[in-house]
Amino acid sequence: MLQNALPALALLAIMVAMAFALKWARRRLPGAVGHSGPPMQLLSSLSLGPQQRVVTVQVGQGDDAVCLVLGVSPGSVNALHHMPLPAHLPQTEQPIVTPASSFAARLAQLTKAPNAPR
């Protein structure tokens, strides 16, 4: 009976080990987790209430850049309007960041600012 169960148990152990190895690799390897879509940048944000906002986001770069006007609430994000990027928009020195690194970049920016409110 053990002779029949041994290959199945070995296969189960290999699959569990592979799951843990993939979980470890996903956290440790650079570039394993990330955003694969076009780069995005927040252009402006307007608060309409305690939990509602209207935000303008630049998606893409160069001639392919598009502005999206989004309505953001706790349960949803709705596209209100989309348009080509205006030519008169001032260029910022901030690099366009992907959503995967935006929180880390914002946190680093706030912690490095000497006059940041606490």
Side-chain angles (χ1 to χ4, degrees), residues 94 102-118:
Q94 296 178 345
S102 63
F103 176 77
R106 181 72 177 145
L107 182 63
Q109 179 185 20
L110 289 175
T111 56
K112 290 181 183 177
N115 299 330
R118 296 191 186 241

PDB file of all heavy atoms in Angstrom, residues 94 102-118:
ATOM      1  N   GLN A  94       9.284  65.984 -12.382  1.00  0.00           N
ATOM      2  CA  GLN A  94       9.051  64.667 -11.823  1.00  0.00           C
ATOM      3  C   GLN A  94       9.013  63.641 -12.948  1.00  0.00           C
ATOM      4  O   GLN A  94       8.363  63.856 -13.963  1.00  0.00           O
ATOM      5  CB  GLN A  94       7.712  64.605 -11.097  1.00  0.00           C
ATOM      6  CG  GLN A  94       7.606  65.488  -9.891  1.00  0.00           C
ATOM      7  CD  GLN A  94       6.226  65.396  -9.277  1.00  0.00           C
ATOM      8  OE1 GLN A  94       5.296  64.900  -9.908  1.00  0.00           O
ATOM      9  NE2 GLN A  94       6.095  65.883  -8.070  1.00  0.00           N
ATOM     10  N   SER A 102       4.671  54.093  -7.159  1.00  0.00           N
ATOM     11  CA  SER A 102       4.263  55.438  -6.796  1.00  0.00           C
ATOM     12  C   SER A 102       4.173  55.623  -5.291  1.00  0.00           C
ATOM     13  O   SER A 102       4.538  56.670  -4.780  1.00  0.00           O
ATOM     14  CB  SER A 102       2.937  55.794  -7.456  1.00  0.00           C
ATOM     15  OG  SER A 102       1.919  54.936  -6.987  1.00  0.00           O
ATOM     16  N   PHE A 103       3.687  54.644  -4.540  1.00  0.00           N
ATOM     17  CA  PHE A 103       3.601  54.790  -3.096  1.00  0.00           C
ATOM     18  C   PHE A 103       4.988  54.902  -2.486  1.00  0.00           C
ATOM     19  O   PHE A 103       5.234  55.755  -1.633  1.00  0.00           O
ATOM     20  CB  PHE A 103       2.838  53.620  -2.474  1.00  0.00           C
ATOM     21  CG  PHE A 103       2.804  53.688  -0.975  1.00  0.00           C
ATOM     22  CD1 PHE A 103       1.951  54.554  -0.335  1.00  0.00           C
ATOM     23  CD2 PHE A 103       3.637  52.885  -0.219  1.00  0.00           C
ATOM     24  CE1 PHE A 103       1.925  54.637   1.045  1.00  0.00           C
ATOM     25  CE2 PHE A 103       3.622  52.956   1.159  1.00  0.00           C
ATOM     26  CZ  PHE A 103       2.762  53.837   1.795  1.00  0.00           C
ATOM     27  N   ALA A 104       5.908  54.067  -2.928  1.00  0.00           N
ATOM     28  CA  ALA A 104       7.270  54.117  -2.396  1.00  0.00           C
ATOM     29  C   ALA A 104       7.937  55.448  -2.737  1.00  0.00           C
ATOM     30  O   ALA A 104       8.631  56.035  -1.900  1.00  0.00           O
ATOM     31  CB  ALA A 104       8.083  52.951  -2.932  1.00  0.00           C
ATOM     32  N   ALA A 105       7.727  55.937  -3.950  1.00  0.00           N
ATOM     33  CA  ALA A 105       8.322  57.204  -4.346  1.00  0.00           C
ATOM     34  C   ALA A 105       7.728  58.353  -3.548  1.00  0.00           C
ATOM     35  O   ALA A 105       8.445  59.259  -3.110  1.00  0.00           O
ATOM     36  CB  ALA A 105       8.112  57.432  -5.844  1.00  0.00           C
ATOM     37  N   ARG A 106       6.429  58.339  -3.342  1.00  0.00           N
ATOM     38  CA  ARG A 106       5.773  59.395  -2.572  1.00  0.00           C
ATOM     39  C   ARG A 106       6.225  59.365  -1.113  1.00  0.00           C
ATOM     40  O   ARG A 106       6.490  60.407  -0.516  1.00  0.00           O
ATOM     41  CB  ARG A 106       4.253  59.227  -2.665  1.00  0.00           C
ATOM     42  CG  ARG A 106       3.469  60.262  -1.928  1.00  0.00           C
ATOM     43  CD  ARG A 106       3.534  61.596  -2.635  1.00  0.00           C
ATOM     44  NE  ARG A 106       2.692  62.528  -1.910  1.00  0.00           N
ATOM     45  CZ  ARG A 106       2.951  63.809  -1.759  1.00  0.00           C
ATOM     46  NH1 ARG A 106       4.017  64.323  -2.339  1.00  0.00           N
ATOM     47  NH2 ARG A 106       2.172  64.577  -1.082  1.00  0.00           N
ATOM     48  N   LEU A 107       6.348  58.173  -0.538  1.00  0.00           N
ATOM     49  CA  LEU A 107       6.818  58.044   0.838  1.00  0.00           C
ATOM     50  C   LEU A 107       8.243  58.553   0.971  1.00  0.00           C
ATOM     51  O   LEU A 107       8.568  59.273   1.915  1.00  0.00           O
ATOM     52  CB  LEU A 107       6.724  56.585   1.288  1.00  0.00           C
ATOM     53  CG  LEU A 107       7.143  56.303   2.726  1.00  0.00           C
ATOM     54  CD1 LEU A 107       6.216  57.020   3.684  1.00  0.00           C
ATOM     55  CD2 LEU A 107       7.125  54.820   2.984  1.00  0.00           C
ATOM     56  N   ALA A 108       9.102  58.225   0.014  1.00  0.00           N
ATOM     57  CA  ALA A 108      10.484  58.700   0.041  1.00  0.00           C
ATOM     58  C   ALA A 108      10.536  60.212  -0.099  1.00  0.00           C
ATOM     59  O   ALA A 108      11.332  60.876   0.565  1.00  0.00           O
ATOM     60  CB  ALA A 108      11.289  58.030  -1.067  1.00  0.00           C
ATOM     61  N   GLN A 109       9.677  60.762  -0.938  1.00  0.00           N
ATOM     62  CA  GLN A 109       9.635  62.211  -1.135  1.00  0.00           C
ATOM     63  C   GLN A 109       9.204  62.911   0.150  1.00  0.00           C
ATOM     64  O   GLN A 109       9.769  63.932   0.527  1.00  0.00           O
ATOM     65  CB  GLN A 109       8.678  62.553  -2.279  1.00  0.00           C
ATOM     66  CG  GLN A 109       8.552  64.027  -2.549  1.00  0.00           C
ATOM     67  CD  GLN A 109       7.496  64.308  -3.601  1.00  0.00           C
ATOM     68  OE1 GLN A 109       6.631  63.490  -3.860  1.00  0.00           O
ATOM     69  NE2 GLN A 109       7.562  65.470  -4.204  1.00  0.00           N
ATOM     70  N   LEU A 110       8.228  62.363   0.848  1.00  0.00           N
ATOM     71  CA  LEU A 110       7.745  62.986   2.080  1.00  0.00           C
ATOM     72  C   LEU A 110       8.747  62.855   3.221  1.00  0.00           C
ATOM     73  O   LEU A 110       8.856  63.748   4.058  1.00  0.00           O
ATOM     74  CB  LEU A 110       6.403  62.368   2.492  1.00  0.00           C
ATOM     75  CG  LEU A 110       5.222  62.731   1.605  1.00  0.00           C
ATOM     76  CD1 LEU A 110       3.988  61.956   2.034  1.00  0.00           C
ATOM     77  CD2 LEU A 110       4.950  64.219   1.650  1.00  0.00           C
ATOM     78  N   THR A 111       9.461  61.763   3.278  1.00  0.00           N
ATOM     79  CA  THR A 111      10.413  61.576   4.371  1.00  0.00           C
ATOM     80  C   THR A 111      11.707  62.340   4.142  1.00  0.00           C
ATOM     81  O   THR A 111      12.398  62.662   5.099  1.00  0.00           O
ATOM     82  CB  THR A 111      10.739  60.086   4.582  1.00  0.00           C
ATOM     83  OG1 THR A 111      11.228  59.551   3.357  1.00  0.00           O
ATOM     84  CG2 THR A 111       9.521  59.321   5.046  1.00  0.00           C
ATOM     85  N   LYS A 112      12.037  62.684   2.911  1.00  0.00           N
ATOM     86  CA  LYS A 112      13.267  63.415   2.629  1.00  0.00           C
ATOM     87  C   LYS A 112      13.085  64.927   2.655  1.00  0.00           C
ATOM     88  O   LYS A 112      14.041  65.655   2.727  1.00  0.00           O
ATOM     89  CB  LYS A 112      13.830  63.002   1.266  1.00  0.00           C
ATOM     90  CG  LYS A 112      14.380  61.603   1.249  1.00  0.00           C
ATOM     91  CD  LYS A 112      14.940  61.264  -0.091  1.00  0.00           C
ATOM     92  CE  LYS A 112      15.424  59.825  -0.100  1.00  0.00           C
ATOM     93  NZ  LYS A 112      15.918  59.433  -1.412  1.00  0.00           N
ATOM     94  N   ALA A 113      11.841  65.402   2.574  1.00  0.00           N
ATOM     95  CA  ALA A 113      11.579  66.837   2.555  1.00  0.00           C
ATOM     96  C   ALA A 113      11.897  67.444   3.924  1.00  0.00           C
ATOM     97  O   ALA A 113      11.356  66.988   4.932  1.00  0.00           O
ATOM     98  CB  ALA A 113      10.141  67.114   2.162  1.00  0.00           C
ATOM     99  N   PRO A 114      12.778  68.479   3.995  1.00  0.00           N
ATOM    100  CA  PRO A 114      13.140  69.025   5.298  1.00  0.00           C
ATOM    101  C   PRO A 114      12.003  69.794   5.975  1.00  0.00           C
ATOM    102  O   PRO A 114      11.923  69.825   7.182  1.00  0.00           O
ATOM    103  CB  PRO A 114      14.317  69.960   4.980  1.00  0.00           C
ATOM    104  CG  PRO A 114      14.157  70.297   3.542  1.00  0.00           C
ATOM    105  CD  PRO A 114      13.480  69.117   2.906  1.00  0.00           C
ATOM    106  N   ASN A 115      11.126  70.429   5.223  1.00  0.00           N
ATOM    107  CA  ASN A 115      10.038  71.225   5.789  1.00  0.00           C
ATOM    108  C   ASN A 115       8.705  70.532   5.698  1.00  0.00           C
ATOM    109  O   ASN A 115       7.664  71.175   5.679  1.00  0.00           O
ATOM    110  CB  ASN A 115       9.959  72.575   5.091  1.00  0.00           C
ATOM    111  CG  ASN A 115      11.229  73.386   5.265  1.00  0.00           C
ATOM    112  OD1 ASN A 115      11.913  73.250   6.260  1.00  0.00           O
ATOM    113  ND2 ASN A 115      11.539  74.225   4.301  1.00  0.00           N
ATOM    114  N   ALA A 116       8.703  69.223   5.628  1.00  0.00           N
ATOM    115  CA  ALA A 116       7.450  68.485   5.490  1.00  0.00           C
ATOM    116  C   ALA A 116       6.651  68.578   6.786  1.00  0.00           C
ATOM    117  O   ALA A 116       7.198  68.440   7.881  1.00  0.00           O
ATOM    118  CB  ALA A 116       7.732  67.017   5.176  1.00  0.00           C
ATOM    119  N   PRO A 117       5.334  68.844   6.682  1.00  0.00           N
ATOM    120  CA  PRO A 117       4.508  68.897   7.897  1.00  0.00           C
ATOM    121  C   PRO A 117       4.400  67.515   8.516  1.00  0.00           C
ATOM    122  O   PRO A 117       4.343  66.517   7.831  1.00  0.00           O
ATOM    123  CB  PRO A 117       3.152  69.385   7.387  1.00  0.00           C
ATOM    124  CG  PRO A 117       3.138  69.069   5.945  1.00  0.00           C
ATOM    125  CD  PRO A 117       4.571  69.085   5.483  1.00  0.00           C
ATOM    126  N   ARG A 118       4.384  67.471   9.829  1.00  0.00           N
ATOM    127  CA  ARG A 118       4.316  66.182  10.512  1.00  0.00           C
ATOM    128  C   ARG A 118       3.031  66.031  11.250  1.00  0.00           C
ATOM    129  O   ARG A 118       2.393  66.714  11.797  1.00  0.00           O
ATOM    130  CB  ARG A 118       5.494  66.014  11.462  1.00  0.00           C
ATOM    131  CG  ARG A 118       6.760  65.990  10.653  1.00  0.00           C
ATOM    132  CD  ARG A 118       7.915  65.555  11.505  1.00  0.00           C
ATOM    133  NE  ARG A 118       9.108  65.704  10.690  1.00  0.00           N
ATOM    134  CZ  ARG A 118       9.879  64.708  10.369  1.00  0.00           C
ATOM    135  NH1 ARG A 118       9.630  63.514  10.763  1.00  0.00           N
ATOM    136  NH2 ARG A 118      10.939  64.910   9.645  1.00  0.00           N
TER     137      ARG A 118
END
